[in-house]
Amino acid sequence: MPTPTAFLRGEFVPMEDAKIGVMTHAFNYGTAVFEGIRGNWNAEQEQLYLFKVRAHFERLRMSAKIMRMELRYTDDELVEITNELARRNGYNEDIYIRPMVYKSTEAVGVRMHDLDDDFLLFVTPFGNYLDPDAGIRCMTSSWRRIDDTMIPARAKVNGLYVNNAMAKTEAQLNGFDEAIMLNSDGHISEGSGENIVMIRNGKLISPPETDNILEGLTLDTAFDVARNELGLEVERRSIDRSELYIADEIFMTGTAAHVTPVTEVDRVPIGDGGTGPISAKIQKTYFDMITGKLPQYSDWISPVYEASTVAGD
Ligand code: PMP
């Protein structure tokens, strides 16, 4: 097995040497932005496919801009470094790649300015985060979603995830799989690491970008599948908590979570309490897409290993 490798301070280093100091600003104050990119293993083709790498780096750049951070690599360089890192790690299983731009100066003092930024990347084997087959049981969190006027949720800011972690832990300690967070005005925002979609009368409905959500790439993908493959309508509008209880189907989307059906919210069964038919279709297409089985979506996936092993070439 190759040596687990990370990218830190401009170079590839063995994972065990990829360390940052205790005074690092980002560690002390959460002053960093991050991404999560999946590599999905196709056993038949013996190929690992990265999903929407460029889009993830576009969002990282957006997060960095909001946080006044500098991402000193071009998109092409970031894609190249990511492919190279995935290749060097040589995993033959699903992986999760974590890019981060962080305030690297070792200094005490709360601020965003006059600090250095560094970029890092690490890879870890990563199976299912939630259970996409059985679906999940969610609870409405008593922790409200942080507002754009506090820490912008459309930026994937490390420190912001304390809000998400509070909600996730509350849900799990209460016997649920995942939390659904409400905005201060009581409308639905999102899960702790997922966007939420409800289906009513054959239409997919998800909160708008202005309801303190991360602008999810998996959500975009699910919407594209719904529109293009299933001919369904999609809508962005605010959602009430009670609407979730009477939805025909609900699913959550996320790089870690994939497309995962929600079978229950606050102990109310959604639909008949199983995976709904539309969710099932979207999920199947999504899994086929990310494992390189749908040539019409090849622009979104990039093979990590030698092209000669890719079937269909
Ligand atoms: N919301 C939050 C809070 C998240 O952490 C994530 C995961 N990145 C998502 C939504 C889903 O975004 P994506 O589909 O781009 O991973």
Side-chain angles (χ1 to χ4, degrees):
M1 214 33 213
T3 311
T5 301
F7 185 84
L8 183 71
R9 301 183 190 100
E11 53 186 15
F12 294 100
V13 289
M15 194 69 159
E16 58 184 25
D17 298 333
K19 305 281 190 243
I20 58 168
V22 291
M23 278 183 68
T24 303
H25 199 273
F27 176 63
N28 283 265
Y29 303 111
T31 46
V33 293
F34 70 104
E35 271 302 321
I37 303 172
R38 272 240 189 216
N40 302 290
W41 178 244
N42 182 323
E44 230 166 74
Q45 300 176 13
E46 301 198 333
Q47 183 57 274
L48 186 62
Y49 288 105
L50 305 186
F51 189 58
K52 288 194 167 178
V53 178
R54 253 171 218 282
H56 278 286
F57 283 119
E58 277 163 24
R59 190 170 63 188
L60 185 68
R61 202 174 289 286
M62 189 189 76
S63 294
K65 184 172 189 192
I66 292 171
M67 293 282 283
R68 296 162 189 274
M69 292 175 137
E70 196 201 339
L71 181 48
R72 65 170 182 275
Y73 299 100
T74 64
D75 287 355
D76 284 347
E77 286 169 338
L78 290 167
V79 169
E80 182 44 42
I81 294 167
T82 306
N83 284 331
E84 175 64 20
L85 187 72
R87 224 175 354 257
R88 285 186 187 219
N89 279 278
Y91 289 114
N92 291 351
E93 60 190 301
D94 290 350
I95 59 166
Y96 190 84
I97 302 175
R98 165 59 45 81
M100 193 182 299
V101 186
Y102 68 103
K103 290 288 175 195
S104 56
T105 304
E106 303 202 18
V108 169
V110 177
R111 62 181 189 276
M112 289 301 302
H113 62 283
D114 292 342
L115 295 163
D116 294 332
D117 302 317
D118 185 36
F119 169 75
L120 67 77
L121 206 54
F122 66 83
V123 183
T124 184
F126 202 75
N128 279 343
Y129 180 66
L130 296 171
D131 188 338
D133 301 320
I136 52 166
R137 300 170 56 247
C138 294
M139 77 169 261
T140 306
S141 182
S142 66
W143 294 100
R144 292 297 171 104
R145 185 63 170 149
I146 202 145
D147 188 75
D148 190 68
T149 56
M150 302 165 183
I151 308 174
R154 70 165 48 72
K156 212 166 156 55
V157 180
N158 291 47
L160 179 152
Y161 274 72
V162 171
N163 180 230
N164 308 31
M166 297 294 262
K168 177 78 173 188
T169 289
E170 181 190 36
Q172 291 207 318
L173 295 185
N174 279 286
F176 294 88
D177 303 304
E178 186 52 277
I180 295 170
M181 290 180 283
L182 304 179
N183 288 307
S184 303
D185 71 359
H187 287 122
I188 304 293
S189 66
E190 59 183 349
S192 70
E194 307 84 17
N195 293 113
I196 187 163
V197 178
M198 91 178 162
I199 302 171
R200 293 188 70 184
N201 303 318
K203 185 197 268 188
L204 277 68
I205 305 166
S206 196
E209 295 84 344
T210 45
D211 270 354
N212 300 314
I213 62 164
L214 186 74
E215 298 179 6
L217 301 174
T218 319
L219 179 73
D220 272 355
T221 310
F223 274 6
D224 281 335
V225 170
R227 274 186 298 242
N228 303 340
E229 308 286 337
L230 307 176
L232 297 174
E233 254 184 87
V234 305
E235 184 183 358
R236 305 299 292 262
R237 68 158 171 85
S238 288
I239 296 176
D240 286 333
R241 175 180 185 170
S242 60
E243 277 190 288
L244 293 183
Y245 300 163
I246 57 165
D248 301 326
E249 300 180 33
I250 298 176
F251 62 85
M252 282 183 154
T253 58
T255 295
H258 294 307
V259 172
T260 295
V262 175
T263 55
E264 213 183 289
V265 177
D266 300 338
R267 301 185 193 280
V268 178
I270 304 307
D272 65 7
T275 299
I278 295 174
S279 308
K281 280 185 198 155
I282 293 174
Q283 188 191 56
K284 164 124 189 20
T285 306
Y286 170 79
F287 278 127
D288 285 348
M289 176 195 303
I290 64 172
T291 48
K293 294 175 190 157
L294 301 179
Q296 69 269 37
Y297 292 106
S298 59
D299 282 358
W300 290 344
I301 55 170
S302 29
V304 169
Y305 303 125
E306 284 288 297
S308 60
T309 61
V310 182
D313 268 16

